[in-house]
């Protein structure tokens, strides 16, 4: 937290991670905030590992994470993780479980971090409407509860 949009884009560039125009767009919206500087523990889990046997909606998935006592990511978490996640395996994609940010075209989006099979890294923002369904093998990132 505490870094501006431009600082986070530079951080991702330094980690050889491309920031898509959609990610930059939602970082320009009023709902996106740089957040506070804090130490946070994150978890990565497949949707199925959160107890789902059928593809949940975004609303159901976010509610489950919170019912388990964890928190959704803050708006700056996705870009911050992009700069820090330098050892992301090839072929890996993870989505930030976060309150969606409406882009300039009116679509609700969340951040996704990926690394292609050729090694290229990216920070994107994908559409995630409240009623959209998530595959059971999709990996989401969220904030672990404080103990």
């Amino acid at each position: 937290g505490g870094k501006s949009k431009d600082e986070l884009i530079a951080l991702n560039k330094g980690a050889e991670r491309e920031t898509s125009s959609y990610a930059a767009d939602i970082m320009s919206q009023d709902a996106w905030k740089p957040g506070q500087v804090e130490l946070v523990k994150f978890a990565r889990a497949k949707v199925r590992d959160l107890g789902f046997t059928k593809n949940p909606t975004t609303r159901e998935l976010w509610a489950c994470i919170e019912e388990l006592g964890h928190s959704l990511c803050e708006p700056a978490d996705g870009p911050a993780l992009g700069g820090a996640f330098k050892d992301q395996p090839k072929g890996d994609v993870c989505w930030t479980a976060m309150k969606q940010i409406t882009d300039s075209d009116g679509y609700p989006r969340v951040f996704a971090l990926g690394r292609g099979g050729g090694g290229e890294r990216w920070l994107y923002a994908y559409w995630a409407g409240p009623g959209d369904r998530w595959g059971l093998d999709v990996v989401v990132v969220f904030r672990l509860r404080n103990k």
Side-chain angles (χ1 to χ4, degrees), residues 29-43:
Q29 303 304 315
D30 289 341
W32 186 85
K33 304 286 186 227
Q36 302 290 327
V37 175
E38 60 184 318
L39 181 62
V40 178
K41 290 186 180 182
F42 294 95

Side-chain angles (χ1 to χ4, degrees), residues 45-68 70 72 97 130-140 142:
K46 286 186 178 181
V47 171
R48 81 172 63 255
D49 295 335
L50 296 171
F52 291 100
T53 57
K54 295 181 184 174
N55 297 7
T57 64
T58 302
R59 187 179 302 108
E60 292 167 338
L61 180 54
W62 286 188
C64 174
I65 289 167
E66 292 178 324
E67 287 167 8
L68 291 170
H70 306 297
L72 298 180
D132 289 345
R133 298 218 172 256
W134 292 74
L136 298 177
D137 288 324
V138 170
V139 176
V140 293
F142 51 90

Side-chain angles (χ1 to χ4, degrees), residues 11-141:
L11 180 68
N12 277 276
K13 186 175 183 180
E16 299 179 1
R17 187 177 299 274
E18 170 200 346
T19 300
S20 76
S21 60
Y22 290 115
D25 178 65
I26 67 171
M27 291 169 71
S28 298
Q29 303 304 315
D30 289 341
W32 186 85
K33 304 286 186 227
Q36 302 290 327
V37 175
E38 60 184 318
L39 181 62
V40 178
K41 290 186 180 182
F42 294 95
R44 286 172 42 107
K46 286 186 178 181
V47 171
R48 81 172 63 255
D49 295 335
L50 296 171
F52 291 100
T53 57
K54 295 181 184 174
N55 297 7
T57 64
T58 302
R59 187 179 302 108
E60 292 167 338
L61 180 54
W62 286 188
C64 174
I65 289 167
E66 292 178 324
E67 287 167 8
L68 291 170
H70 306 297
S71 301
L72 298 180
C73 290
E74 293 294 322
D77 289 347
L81 285 168
F85 196 15
K86 295 178 183 172
D87 60 346
Q88 185 173 17
K90 288 181 181 179
D92 181 73
V93 178
C94 57
W95 302 71
T96 55
M98 59 181 275
K99 182 177 177 187
Q100 300 93 314
I101 297 175
T102 303
D103 70 13
S104 296
D105 296 323
Y107 297 109
R109 295 187 180 271
V110 299
F111 291 108
L113 301 165
R115 185 164 186 204
E120 63 283 357
R121 295 176 181 88
W122 42 263
L123 169 68
Y124 284 179
Y126 286 108
W127 187 347
D132 289 345
R133 298 218 172 256
W134 292 74
L136 298 177
D137 288 324
V138 170
V139 176
V140 293
V141 177

